[in-house]
């Protein structure tokens, strides 16, 4: 009315209801004429996708796509450019036929991996895969997905079920709405999303985790788009590894797993994830070709798995024991300290001289018991050499307790390289002398990574009683 007041007459509306068209000022005759495109009946077409207003369903018609029809009828081997044109011609924003389109994308990735140029015929080993995919195009006309999820029924107590799966070639997620009317149950395909596995190889558990994350994001998109009241959500996966990761402390795993598990758990709850056998997983139709996709309206891709039409008591058991998996765990290192620290309890001494004299007497007694002749062994007064031996032993003990990682690293390094930058004593350029004591070194412009001997030992004990010198 606003546009008409300014002289702009809006017409050629499309609707599945003649009443709506009449209220919009469209006569039945003119409406039928406006929707009769390419003599295909009362349809509205967008890149092969068709909305049949009489049946109020979405379908596909590849007969009106000359590029695809030419490839179907031709027996010549297509080029890389022609294959890409055929794959991209199919318009499927909701993923209604994602279980078919994804195999065209897999074919395109294989052509890309083979190094074929744009106007070169595809490799011989890809011929069968191409002809198998292109022959299925003629069956797309059998697809009939109702535009309305539950026509004639007021939706209430809705459940959203998302199935995820992955293979070495692709990973996928598909979402269904389930309506329980009490007298019967109905399911409707909402949307699906598929992705081809990256060129860089990934393990199947990692791809399964990618599928779980894809399903989580698809759920957020569906919920934000629909205004229907969804009471509960269910996520189904046939990967015990992924379910174990979701139930474990994700910080224990490598960053690839840690970050993706954290994102999944930020948008979903662990209790919403369930195990489903592979044979009952609908997403498996997209990740594995098998006998080929089927497009009849009664197939499980469009209707959902059979168990969703049963009571929850007959669903796959959620009592399956998911054991912890060692895959993708971060490496854990255990350092064993030298047993020398058991000789001296440093917490019993508050004076350095007393500790040093005690240690010297201990080493004199050990030498005597072993019948080893030492320089000061026959003197009652401790000698300079005995004090030096005791001091070296005490320094080794303190450093072994305070810096076990640095001692282990420097002990195994014959070139006197400095410790890692994460060490607290990195800036001191530490190195081990001939007696096994960490000493502070210095760098030169010619050899900045080498440490040179000084007379200063590194004594920075952690969690020890402070020693007074």
């Amino acid at each position: 009315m606003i546009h008409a007041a300014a002289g702009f007459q809006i017409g050629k509306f499309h609707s599945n209801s003649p009443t709506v068209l009449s209220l919009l000022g469209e006569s039945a005759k003119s409406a039928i004429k406006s929707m009769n495109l390419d003599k295909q009946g009362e349809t509205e077409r967008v890149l092969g996708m068709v909305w049949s207003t009489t049946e109020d369903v979405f379908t596909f018609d590849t007969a009106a796509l000359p590029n695809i029809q030419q490839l179907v009828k031709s027996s010549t081997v297509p080029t890389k450019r022609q294959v890409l044109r055929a794959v991209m011609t199919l318009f499927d924003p909701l993923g209604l036929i994602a279980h078919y389109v994804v195999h065209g994308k897999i074919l395109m990735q294989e052509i890309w991996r083979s190094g074929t140029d744009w106007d070169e015929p595809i490799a011989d080993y890809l011929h069968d895969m191409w002809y198998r995919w292109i022959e299925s195009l003629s069956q797309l006309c059998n697809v009939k997905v109702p535009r309305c999820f539950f026509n004639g029924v007021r939706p209430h107590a809705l459940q959203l079920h998302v199935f995820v799966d992955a293979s070495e070639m692709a990973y996928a997620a598909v979402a269904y709405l389930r309506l329980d009317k009490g007298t019967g149950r109905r399911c409707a395909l909402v949307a699906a999303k598929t992705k081809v596995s990256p060129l860089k190889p990934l393990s199947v558990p990692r791809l399964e985790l990618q599928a779980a994350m894809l399903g989580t994001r698809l759920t957020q998109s569906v919920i934000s788009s629909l205004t229907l009241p969804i009471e509960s959500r269910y996520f189904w996966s046939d990967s015990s590894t992924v379910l174990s990761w979701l139930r474990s402390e994700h910080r224990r795993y490598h960053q690839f797993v840690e970050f993706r598990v954290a994102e999944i758990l930020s948008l979903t709850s662990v209790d919403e994830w369930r195990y489903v056998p592979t044979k009952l997983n609908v997403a498996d139709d997209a990740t594995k070709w098998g006998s080929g996709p089927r497009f009849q309206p009664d197939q499980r891709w469009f209707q959902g798995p059979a168990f969703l039409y049963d009571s929850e008591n007959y669903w796959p058991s959620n009592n399956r024991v998911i054991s912890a998996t060692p895959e993708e765990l971060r490496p854990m290192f255990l350092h064993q300290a030298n047993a020398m620290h058991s000789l001296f309890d440093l917490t019993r001494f508050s004076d350095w001289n007393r500790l040093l004299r005690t240690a010297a007497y201990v080493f004199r007694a050990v030498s005597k018991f072993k019948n080893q002749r030492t320089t000061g062994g026959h003197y009652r007064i401790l000698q300079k050499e005995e004090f030096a031996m005791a001091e070296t032993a005490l320094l080794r003990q303190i450093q072994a307790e305070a810096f076990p990682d640095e001692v282990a690293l420097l002990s195994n390094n014959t070139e006197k390289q400095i410790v890692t930058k994460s060490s607290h004593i990195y800036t001191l350029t530490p190195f081990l002398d001939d007696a096994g004591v960490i000493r502070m070194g210095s760098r030169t412009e010619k050899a900045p990574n080498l440490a040179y001997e000084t007379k200063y030992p590194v004594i920075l004990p952690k969690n020890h009683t402070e020693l007074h010198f």
Side-chain angles (χ1 to χ4, degrees), residues 172-246:
V174 55
Y176 298 90
L177 282 177
R178 179 179 183 270
L179 174 64
D180 192 345
K181 299 185 297 182
T183 58
R185 303 171 185 87
R186 298 173 61 179
C187 295
L189 172 64
V190 180
K193 186 71 175 178
T194 58
K195 284 193 175 183
V196 179
S197 300
L199 290 174
K200 181 180 178 180
L202 291 178
S203 63
V204 174
R206 285 194 171 192
L207 291 173
E208 293 278 7
L209 184 61
Q210 289 282 81
M213 186 173 64
L214 182 66
T216 303
R217 294 176 177 177
L218 177 64
T219 301
Q220 293 299 115
S221 177
V222 169
I223 293 178
S224 62
S225 301
L226 297 180
T227 58
L228 299 175
I230 298 178
E231 291 190 354
S232 57
R233 304 181 306 180
Y234 297 88
F235 297 87
W236 301 88
S237 174
D238 57 9
S239 174
S240 299
T241 302
V242 172
L243 296 178
S244 175
W245 285 339
L246 295 177

Side-chain angles (χ1 to χ4, degrees), residues 17-63:
S17 173
T19 304
V20 172
L21 292 175
S22 62
L23 294 175
L24 291 172
E26 296 281 354
S27 63
K29 184 176 180 180
S30 62
I32 293 176
K33 182 178 180 180
S34 65
M35 290 183 288
N36 189 2
L37 304 178
D38 298 334
K39 298 181 180 180
Q40 295 296 324
E42 301 176 15
T43 59
E44 177 65 19
R45 187 184 316 281
V46 180
L47 293 178
M49 189 174 182
V50 175
W51 173 31
S52 176
T53 55
T54 54
E55 299 180 68
D56 198 16
V57 296
F58 290 119
T59 184
F60 293 85
D61 184 13
T62 58

Side-chain angles (χ1 to χ4, degrees), residues 270-318:
V270 176
D271 298 334
E272 294 177 329
W273 287 88
R274 293 175 168 237
Y275 175 81
V276 59
T278 302
K279 293 182 179 181
L280 302 179
N281 193 354
V282 189
D284 189 72
D285 296 349
T287 58
K288 303 175 184 64
W289 183 272
S291 59
R294 299 180 181 180
F295 305 104
Q296 288 73 18
D298 58 347
Q299 295 300 313
R300 71 171 187 173
W301 176 264
F302 302 103
Q303 299 295 328
F307 71 83
L308 288 184
Y309 293 86
D310 298 331
S311 173
E312 295 189 20
N313 299 328
Y314 297 96
W315 290 1
S317 176
N318 197 34

Side-chain angles (χ1 to χ4, degrees), residues 337-373:
N338 195 330
M340 185 186 301
H341 72 276
S342 60
L343 293 177
F344 307 103
D345 185 3
L346 303 182
T347 61
R348 298 180 58 185
F349 298 88
S350 60
D351 182 76
W352 169 254
N353 292 326
R354 183 181 177 188
L355 173 62
L356 186 61
R357 293 179 63 85
T358 302
Y361 277 118
V362 169
F363 281 109
R364 172 185 284 188
V366 171
S367 299
K368 183 177 180 180
F369 293 150
K370 291 183 177 180
N371 296 323
Q372 295 180 356
R373 184 182 182 87

